[in-house]
Amino acid sequence: MTATPTPTTELPGWRHAYSGKVRDLYVPEDTPEGTQPERLLVVASDRVSAFDHVLSPGIPGKGELLTTLSLWWFDQLAGADGGRGIPNHLAASHTLTRGADGEANTADDLKSLIPDAVIGRAMVVKSLDMQPIECVVRGYLTGSGWAEYRESGTVCGIELPGGLSNGDRLPEPIYTPAFKAPMGEHDENISFERTVELVGAERAAELRDLSLEIYSRAAATAEAHGVILADTKFEFGLDENGVMTLADEVLTSDSSRYWDAAAWASGTTPDERMASFDKQIVRNWLAANWPAPREGEPPALPADIVARTTARYRELLERLTAA
């Protein structure tokens, strides 16, 4: 896997702790080495990855678009969509309050916590005891699930009805967890029974039920805006009181498959039906121009691929958040 670049930006008040393929993590600069800080700064970069490689160039504005969408979804799931409030990892300064006019307002001290260099693409979050499970929910048959279904009639070992086609809606959403592998390794699809072994029966059931609830609520919200949420993945952690808390990014173009609902209904081919709002444009180009086993450095993305991907990310945000 291509090494993830380490950010060179020094952020006043924060010390770089870790970089993933897309996000960078900082701790307060006065945090003693080896201790768990109370707060973290999560910065979404413009980096884009595919097939476990970080690609060049990045997608301009991607970090801000993803962060804005995550914050919007955290607000929706905190009760703005009419459902019960789902606890999330945002620090108090990110909590949205609503005035008499119903408009959302962010606490005044937000800018004092987030350095100017990363305003718009950073979140201050609470430290959590992260669970080792990636909670995947699939509402439609596609991707690796479609490949497995063609071979065995199952998705992650879950038996499905016969006669389904690529892109079809499943009879009901299914929960297909994965074990979060160490950095540089692939996550491993696991059974629900294996999650029980890893985190215990009560916690495994809570992760499953929360994931299915959030997916159902988000899918309904997306559908009301003419968008299909085909599948997504969540991460959770326990706060200081042992409360299961939604963490990391949520329901972004990087963690989810979104399709245009009208195109899905009228399309006659898989490509037409599954017109995506994520980095599928990048994946398709890379698959066609850098065949397996994809060793060494990946080719640079053409300007038109970058521009088209940026436009799709932005269109999704605008469609979902439109009044």
Side-chain angles (χ1 to χ4, degrees):
M1 183 178 72
T2 300
T4 300
T6 300
T8 57
T9 304
E10 292 187 4
L11 301 180
W14 300 91
R15 184 176 74 240
H16 176 252
Y18 168 81
S19 286
K21 290 193 287 291
V22 173
R23 285 176 298 282
D24 304 313
L25 185 67
Y26 294 80
V27 299
E29 62 182 356
D30 59 357
T31 303
E33 293 289 344
T35 62
Q36 182 75 3
E38 182 181 353
R39 297 284 184 263
L40 304 167
L41 182 71
V42 180
V43 180
S45 74
D46 290 346
R47 298 189 296 268
V48 62
S49 68
F51 302 114
D52 282 334
H53 288 264
V54 177
L55 309 177
S56 179
I59 306 299
K62 174 174 176 279
E64 185 169 351
L65 291 169
L66 293 184
T67 300
T68 302
L69 188 54
S70 270
L71 290 173
W72 184 81
W73 275 118
F74 280 128
D75 184 43
Q76 296 300 300
L77 296 168
D81 68 347
R84 72 182 183 96
I86 302 292
N88 65 60
H89 70 162
L90 296 178
S93 59
H94 279 288
T95 302
L96 295 179
T97 59
R98 296 184 182 275
D101 58 0
E103 291 297 315
N105 302 295
T106 306
D108 292 336
D109 63 344
L110 177 58
K111 289 186 177 179
S112 69
L113 292 173
I114 298 180
D116 290 344
V118 293
I119 281 283
R121 58 188 183 92
M123 298 183 288
V124 179
V125 304
K126 298 176 287 188
S127 291
L128 301 174
D129 177 14
M130 296 302 295
Q131 300 298 287
I133 308 299
E134 189 168 76
C135 299
V136 180
V137 181
R138 305 167 190 257
Y140 291 74
L141 184 59
T142 188
S144 61
W146 167 242
E148 179 184 332
Y149 176 79
R150 284 187 297 172
E151 291 184 2
S152 60
T154 63
V155 172
C156 296
I158 298 173
E159 188 171 350
L160 296 178
L164 297 177
S165 298
N166 191 10
D168 279 359
R169 185 171 186 166
L170 299 177
E172 61 182 10
I174 59 174
Y175 175 66
T176 58
F179 176 70
K180 291 195 291 187
M183 183 180 176
E185 299 180 19
H186 291 286
D187 292 343
E188 173 193 355
N189 290 334
I190 58 176
S191 65
F192 178 74
E193 290 72 23
R194 177 59 177 147
T195 68
V196 171
E197 295 175 0
L198 289 168
V199 300
E202 182 176 350
R203 197 159 290 167
E206 186 177 16
L207 289 169
R208 177 197 61 202
D209 296 346
L210 264 174
S211 299
L212 289 168
E213 176 188 348
I214 295 170
Y215 173 84
S216 294
R217 287 169 59 176
T221 297
E223 190 170 345
H225 291 82
V227 176
I228 287 173
L229 175 61
D231 55 42
T232 190
K233 58 184 178 182
F234 306 113
E235 295 194 30
F236 296 91
L238 297 172
D239 70 5
E240 68 276 11
N241 298 313
V243 175
M244 193 66 75
T245 302
L246 183 60
D248 200 53
E249 63 179 329
V250 61
L251 295 160
T252 69
S253 309
D254 272 11
S255 66
S256 316
R257 280 190 177 92
Y258 286 101
W259 301 334
D260 181 276
W264 180 84
S266 63
T268 58
T269 68
D271 285 346
E272 291 175 351
R273 296 181 74 201
M274 295 179 283
S276 68
F277 290 97
D278 56 26
K279 60 185 178 183
Q280 194 62 45
I281 295 169
V282 170
R283 290 193 197 97
N284 291 347
W285 183 88
L286 199 61
N289 292 274
W290 194 37
R294 301 190 179 92
E295 297 175 341
E297 290 294 321
L301 297 175
D304 68 306
I305 295 296
V306 172
R308 287 168 56 200
T309 302
T310 301
R312 291 298 275 177
Y313 274 71
R314 187 173 302 280
E315 182 183 352
L316 175 67
L317 175 64
E318 292 172 350
R319 288 180 63 167
L320 286 175
T321 60

